[in-house]
Amino acid sequence: MVAAASVVVAVGTATGMHSALGDRDGSDTVRPASADGSTGVRTAPMVPSGPASVSPSVSAPASKKASAKASPSPRKASRPPAEDPSTRLYRHPSSQVLDWVQGNPRDWRADVIESRIADRPAAVWFADYAPASITSRVRAVTSGGAAQGRVPVLVAYTIPDRDCGGASQGGAPDLGAYDAWIDRFAAGLGTAEVVVVLEPDSIAQSDCLSAAGRADRFASLARAGRVLKAANPRARVYYDAGHSGWHPAAKQASLLKQAGAASAASSDGIFSNVSNFHVTSAEIAYDRQVLDALAGPSGLGAVIDTSRNGNGAPPDGEWCDPAGRKIGRAPTLNTGEPRIDAYLWVKLPGESDGCKGTPGTFSPSYAYDLASP
């Protein structure tokens, strides 16, 4: 994906976020601009092999501000999530940003990064093809959310030929292996509420496949949704709608329909803006247009990645850790907007697209720039 999206905690994912982070964006994963000028991919997140994998530390640059501010005392424990409890979203206790905050309590940026990023609930990415451990890793996240009565957000990101061979390339070796991986993923979903962001860029960025390859991928995605929802009827599964700066709504809806997104048996709707920067108002308008064109059940809705869209997309179209961006609306399941089910932080703010650091790794300087007022 061009600018991979999100935050995963290394619950065994290859994303570089909370657990299995990913870097996308319709421009979030490292992906070149398409012929129509849109960027669709994200940088693949680094996938930790365990729930508490430690991200590489990044040394803080020397700064006058650092010497001017008294060093805070080390934190013994991170604060509870800062979001309104009514949002009900789960914050996984392990992520690169939390590792950095806990390991750098005297850094002058730590308070801002902790309070404005680390304390927010974010998605957990599963981006590595590790069928033997995927069930237990998914279960570790879903059981943690269930124990708190909160809703975890999981990103399944292992479709073959993902990112069209770009910076986030990888995934299962073939669709048969992917189908089996999804079966194992579904086995860890439990029985409580959970949101699944199914394969960012897999639909919007499918034009690199042959017609037959696209049809086979879409058949696997439709199957994936059915398997996930059959395993846990309370699972809410969302399909890739790209973002408002990519395909026209009618074209995206046509692709989504082929992938099963209009069927209540496999889908709860669509997601957009993963690892990208388009303003929320533009995404709301676009997602409603896609849903109208999709013509599925009336209950289908949309979720929007608001992790880095506070200042909107850069005017020059830059997708790789662009300067001047800010975090967007806090994650919530209560948007107050008809047909918009949630604002989510799919891409964890501060995880690099590949310009501020290795794709998927946490950059405190970038995180501070995004989070500072």
Side-chain angles (χ1 to χ4, degrees):
M1 312 163 58
V2 176
S6 211
V7 211
V8 187
V9 179
V11 209
T13 45
T15 16
M17 295 86 176
H18 269 345
S19 50
L21 317 178
D23 247 27
R24 336 168 164 23
D25 112 343
S27 120
D28 203 63
T29 314
V30 181
R31 153 194 183 168
S34 60
D36 63 0
S38 65
T39 48
V41 193
R42 316 151 183 32
T43 307
M46 292 174 49
V47 182
S49 59
S53 85
V54 180
S55 11
S57 60
V58 184
S59 57
S63 162
K64 294 180 181 178
K65 189 170 181 179
S67 59
K69 177 179 177 178
S71 299
S73 11
R75 298 171 180 77
K76 293 184 179 177
S78 63
R79 296 192 288 264
E83 87 282 1
D84 184 327
S86 66
T87 65
R88 299 185 301 111
L89 286 167
Y90 175 60
R91 187 195 68 165
H92 194 282
S94 176
S95 68
Q96 291 191 75
V97 63
L98 284 168
D99 288 345
W100 184 85
V101 166
Q102 291 163 4
N104 297 272
R106 298 181 183 279
D107 190 288
W108 58 273
R109 301 163 294 188
D111 285 338
V112 167
I113 292 174
E114 180 178 20
S115 63
R116 305 205 70 200
I117 296 179
D119 281 351
R120 304 288 186 181
V124 177
W125 290 68
F126 296 86
D128 59 328
Y129 178 68
S133 62
I134 187 61
T135 301
S136 61
R137 285 160 42 202
V138 169
R139 184 178 294 124
V141 179
T142 57
S143 61
Q148 294 183 15
R150 289 178 175 261
V151 181
V153 178
L154 311 183
V155 181
Y157 187 49
T158 315
I159 199 80
D161 300 315
R162 70 178 184 210
D163 197 18
C164 290
S168 295
Q169 62 184 292
D174 55 52
L175 287 173
Y178 177 73
D179 291 347
W181 183 87
I182 282 290
D183 292 344
R184 293 176 180 236
F185 184 104
L189 289 179
T191 58
E193 282 187 84
V194 58
V195 170
V196 179
V197 173
L198 182 62
E199 301 296 342
D201 291 344
S202 61
I203 298 174
Q205 191 193 11
S206 60
D207 50 1
C208 64
L209 303 175
S210 66
R214 194 159 46 244
D216 289 344
R217 172 183 285 190
F218 290 172
S220 274
L221 288 171
R223 176 191 182 276
R226 293 193 301 271
V227 168
L228 295 169
K229 292 184 69 63
N232 179 357
R234 300 181 72 191
R236 293 155 63 177
V237 180
Y238 294 90
Y239 282 72
D240 170 37
H243 56 70
S244 59
W246 205 342
H247 298 308
K251 175 180 179 179
Q252 190 63 31
S254 175
L255 297 173
L256 282 158
K257 186 168 292 190
Q258 296 172 56
S263 169
S266 56
S267 170
D268 290 272
I270 61 176
F271 63 83
S272 72
N273 209 42
V274 168
S275 301
N276 221 305
F277 306 90
H278 297 278
V279 294
T280 303
S281 58
E283 293 304 300
I284 290 173
Y286 172 73
D287 288 346
R288 287 174 177 162
Q289 291 170 4
V290 173
L291 290 169
D292 286 343
L294 191 57
S298 60
L300 296 185
V303 299
I304 299 169
D305 187 353
T306 59
S307 61
R308 305 190 298 179
N309 72 346
N311 273 357
D316 61 358
E318 177 59 58
W319 59 264
C320 187
D321 302 330
R325 302 313 96 198
K326 294 294 180 182
I327 56 175
R329 300 189 190 190
T332 182
L333 294 173
N334 301 314
T335 69
E337 291 284 349
R339 307 175 78 187
I340 306 301
D341 294 346
Y343 300 137
L344 303 176
W345 282 12
V346 183
K347 165 89 174 169
L348 187 62
E351 290 185 352
S352 177
D353 296 323
C355 292
K356 298 285 186 182
T358 302
T361 57
F362 181 73
S363 166
S365 60
Y366 188 39
Y368 181 81
D369 289 345
L370 288 166
S372 59

